[in-house]
Amino acid sequence: MRYWEPVPRGPVLWAARAEPWSTWVPLLCFVLHVISWLLIFSILLVFDYAELMGLKQVYYHVLGLGEPLALKSPRALRLFSHLRHPVCVELLTVLWVVPTLGTDRLLLALLLTLYLGLAHGLDQQDLRYLRAQLQRKLHLLSQPQEGEAE
């Protein structure tokens, strides 16, 4: 990262160079970036790092404390109900809402967008698998065992 430099004369997908776009588009991008970073920071304050990494969920499960999300404030729950992964949405805003999109930034945005898309898909797939396994085990546990008195 120390020696990274943007490609100065490379192809550009879009650029706001004509008036009034050269004034208003960078200003709009700046405002959206500030809002996005403030939202990311506020979400990181609501969700602590251990919860983001999944450690708190495991810890609460082992101790039988329930879900950590159940202890969040109603305002935080309302925010999370509207945006499933707000950090991902805000990161995508930071990646794509730029006044000039060159090839280096395009490559970075495409790769991170692909990563976020795959991570979300794997998250949903894992959730479906775990639900199916839980239902199967609950069904097996609810059936009477052979040799038990009824």
Side-chain angles (χ1 to χ4, degrees):
M1 289 179 64
R2 181 178 180 170
Y3 298 107
W4 177 83
E5 292 183 23
V7 180
R9 295 190 194 118
V12 175
L13 189 61
W14 69 71
R17 292 190 181 133
E19 285 295 333
W21 305 114
S22 63
T23 303
W24 292 104
V25 171
L27 181 64
L28 177 67
C29 291
F30 175 77
V31 169
L32 287 174
H33 280 221
V34 168
I35 291 170
S36 296
W37 284 115
L38 287 175
L39 281 172
I40 289 171
F41 181 69
S42 67
I43 289 166
L44 289 177
L45 289 178
V46 172
F47 269 131
D48 57 358
Y49 290 115
E51 193 168 352
L52 286 173
M53 298 299 291
L55 298 174
K56 188 178 247 183
Q57 289 86 338
V58 172
Y59 177 75
Y60 275 45
H61 179 72
V62 168
L63 294 179
L65 298 175
E67 282 292 319
L69 194 59
L71 303 174
K72 298 293 180 195
S73 71
R75 290 178 63 198
L77 293 174
R78 192 171 31 245
L79 173 67
F80 299 135
S81 69
H82 292 295
L83 295 172
R84 180 156 177 80
H85 294 287
V87 173
C88 294
V89 172
E90 301 310 322
L91 183 60
L92 288 173
T93 302
V94 169
L95 287 171
W96 288 101
V97 179
V98 290
T100 302
L101 185 68
T103 53
D104 52 349
R105 179 70 180 240
L106 175 65
L107 180 63
L108 175 70
L110 284 173
L111 289 175
L112 287 177
T113 301
L114 179 66
Y115 171 75
L116 290 174
L118 290 175
H120 176 68
L122 293 175
D123 185 33
Q124 292 297 317
Q125 182 181 3
D126 290 342
L127 181 62
R128 283 192 297 271
Y129 172 76
L130 291 173
R131 277 189 186 152
Q133 292 299 318
L134 179 64
Q135 292 298 326
R136 186 178 64 82
K137 289 178 182 179
L138 288 175
H139 179 69
L140 287 173
L141 290 174
S142 67
Q143 293 178 351
Q145 299 292 326
E146 292 181 27
E148 283 186 2
E150 290 185 24

